[in-house]
Amino acid sequence: MDVFLLIFAATLLVAVLFSALAGRTVLSAAVLFLVVGFVIGSETTGILQFDSSSPEVSAIAEIALFVVLFTDGMKMGWPDLRRAWRLPGRALGWGLPLTLAITAVLAHFLLGLGWAESLLIGAILAPTDPVFAAALVGNMRVPQRLRELLNVESGVNDGLALPFVVVFLAVSSGSDELHLGELGLELLAGTAIGIAVPWIVIKALHTRIFAAAGVFEPIVPIAIGLLVFALSSYTHANLFLAAFAAGVTVATVGHKEREAFEEFGEIISELLKLLALMIFGALLSFKFLGEIAWTGWVFAILALIAARPIALAVSFVGSGLSMREQLAAMWFGPKGFASVVYVLVVVSAGIPSGDLIFHIVALTIALSIIAHSSTDVIVARSFTEPEETPAWQGPPPRW
């Protein structure tokens, strides 16, 4: 553990030193931590002794995803969410199931898996993650509706994909009971906890009896997040919908609390993201990648460049989005922590095809991290004005 902390700290320092350069080029902190994790993994140098069945791996991935969704939710309130819902609604209502279906078809015919296992892979890879497209989502020159589309979609689709993962996992394991009622209750309970807890806490703080002062002001959202996490875990509510709903509720009723926490929350979210990326990279190795047949590599590439673009092309018919905005949304469907968490659930279930599914999903996530986090700056730059673009970068493309 001491060696791991030393490596993580050194890698973090390198990322900090080159962060300004990375913000203008294809260099990416996400790729750096993924590669370092790959190097120190148990099957490469053996410095970090983690595997896909280690409870620490799933715990860190789950916590990182919760924090990322919580902080992402704080970027907009419920009124903003209602106003911006038209486009995310298309991406979720049409894009999510179509992406799942197209990915499942690719898995069935390229990997030779049964339909249940293929649909399971589709459900695992359906969620998107804005973390690896930070330059796009966080760039104020990118149209607001596009940023809101990607942020809202990624915040909600993690939770919406979970019931599909559970159902297809149950079918793949031969279970006759799908527990659809329980899944619905988990989704409702997660949303309810995510709304109720921050609303009650912040409304109490706005009375004459209670008040947070000094250093305790930025701790309010931390206490809310911990309580939401604990209650959701204890009641088996949907953890990820609870996280996003809690963040949105804080943004709606606690403007002062959000402002006090915003900078600190972004720092914690970034650190957990990088830690999770390093640990995920440690699960990979040359031996691991060599065990994947060429059809698996073809599947992973098509899952990134075909499944989501085709699904969103259908979803955006008549949407009013420009072609440049549509292409950006189609490309930026990065696979991240939700897919990691879900595939680890599949591994722990011990289904016959679990090892193959883990290999394929891990490869797809790794390729996605490399591709999306290395191109976010380029695509974001295409939305800037020519006179604002540094000469060495060249003029932005006009689509």
Side-chain angles (χ1 to χ4, degrees):
M1 184 57 68
D2 291 339
V3 176
F4 171 68
L5 289 176
L6 177 62
I7 294 173
F8 179 78
T11 308
L12 184 62
L13 181 58
V14 171
V16 169
L17 293 174
F18 287 94
S19 58
L21 179 61
R24 303 190 304 268
T25 66
V26 297
L27 296 177
S28 165
V31 174
L32 172 64
F33 278 82
L34 182 72
V35 171
V36 171
F38 182 92
V39 171
I40 66 175
S42 58
E43 292 187 347
T44 307
T45 60
I47 294 174
L48 191 60
Q49 294 295 327
F50 279 148
D51 58 44
S52 58
S53 61
S54 300
E56 298 90 347
V57 174
S58 56
I60 291 173
E62 189 175 83
I63 293 170
L65 178 59
F66 181 91
V67 173
V68 167
L69 290 176
F70 184 56
T71 54
D72 281 347
M74 278 198 218
K75 294 174 182 175
M76 63 178 65
W78 288 110
D80 302 316
L81 197 58
R82 285 196 301 270
R83 187 191 71 249
W85 187 253
R86 184 178 63 86
L87 291 173
R90 285 174 173 264
L92 293 166
W94 290 99
L96 179 68
L98 283 173
T99 302
L100 191 159
I102 295 170
T103 305
V105 170
L106 291 172
H108 178 72
F109 289 104
L110 282 173
L111 305 177
L113 292 171
W115 281 113
E117 292 80 5
S118 299
L119 288 166
L120 177 59
I121 289 182
I124 293 171
L125 292 176
T128 58
D129 193 332
V131 171
F132 306 117
L136 195 69
V137 175
N139 192 322
M140 294 300 107
R141 296 188 183 93
V142 175
Q144 182 179 359
R145 62 182 181 180
L146 177 58
R147 289 186 282 113
E148 289 178 342
L149 161 63
L150 294 173
N151 196 35
V152 174
E153 179 199 8
S154 60
V156 177
N157 64 14
D158 297 323
L160 294 183
L162 180 59
F164 294 100
V165 173
V166 175
V167 168
F168 296 136
L169 178 58
V171 174
S172 300
S173 61
S175 174
D176 297 325
E177 183 57 59
L178 301 181
H179 304 287
L180 295 180
E182 291 182 16
L183 290 174
L185 286 175
E186 288 177 6
L187 293 173
L188 289 174
T191 305
I193 290 172
I195 295 173
V197 170
W199 190 88
I200 292 171
V201 171
I202 292 174
K203 288 298 181 181
L205 286 171
H206 293 174
T207 64
R208 294 182 179 182
I209 302 174
F210 304 103
V215 296
F216 287 96
E217 283 190 90
I219 295 179
V220 172
I222 298 176
I224 290 173
L226 287 172
L227 186 55
V228 169
F229 186 93
L231 280 175
S232 300
S233 299
Y234 182 75
T235 60
H236 302 288
N238 188 288
L239 194 64
F240 309 128
L241 277 183
F244 190 71
V248 174
T249 305
V250 171
T252 303
V253 299
H255 302 291
K256 183 176 70 172
E257 288 77 12
R258 178 181 66 173
E259 290 177 3
F261 175 75
E262 187 173 14
E263 185 176 354
F264 179 71
E266 290 292 338
I267 293 171
I268 295 299
S269 176
E270 186 71 13
L271 285 175
L272 282 173
K273 177 197 79 173
L274 297 175
L275 175 64
L277 281 174
M278 183 174 285
I279 291 177
F280 173 69
L283 301 179
L284 310 177
S285 66
F286 290 114
K287 178 177 179 291
F288 179 93
L289 297 176
E291 293 170 350
I292 302 174
W294 68 269
T295 51
W297 288 83
V298 173
F299 165 83
I301 294 171
L302 290 178
L304 298 179
I305 67 173
R308 178 176 170 85
I310 293 173
L312 288 194
V314 175
S315 304
F316 289 151
V317 172
S319 66
L321 283 173
S322 68
M323 181 55 66
R324 178 165 50 179
E325 290 172 310
Q326 290 188 45
L327 290 173
M330 290 174 191
W331 171 238
F332 281 101
K335 313 306 172 187
F337 300 129
S339 296
V340 173
V341 173
Y342 296 159
V343 77
L344 292 175
V345 171
V346 172
V347 170
S348 64
I351 63 174
S353 55
D355 186 61
L356 173 60
I357 291 175
F358 176 71
H359 276 69
I360 296 299
V361 170
L363 172 63
T364 306
I365 295 171
L367 292 179
S368 175
I369 292 171
I370 294 171
H372 291 112
S373 63
S374 300
T375 56
D376 55 357
V377 171
I378 297 173
V379 177
R381 184 170 58 85
S382 72
F383 289 96
T384 63
E385 295 300 324
E387 60 272 15
E388 295 175 337
T389 304
W392 66 270
Q393 289 186 341
R398 292 298 179 188
W399 299 340

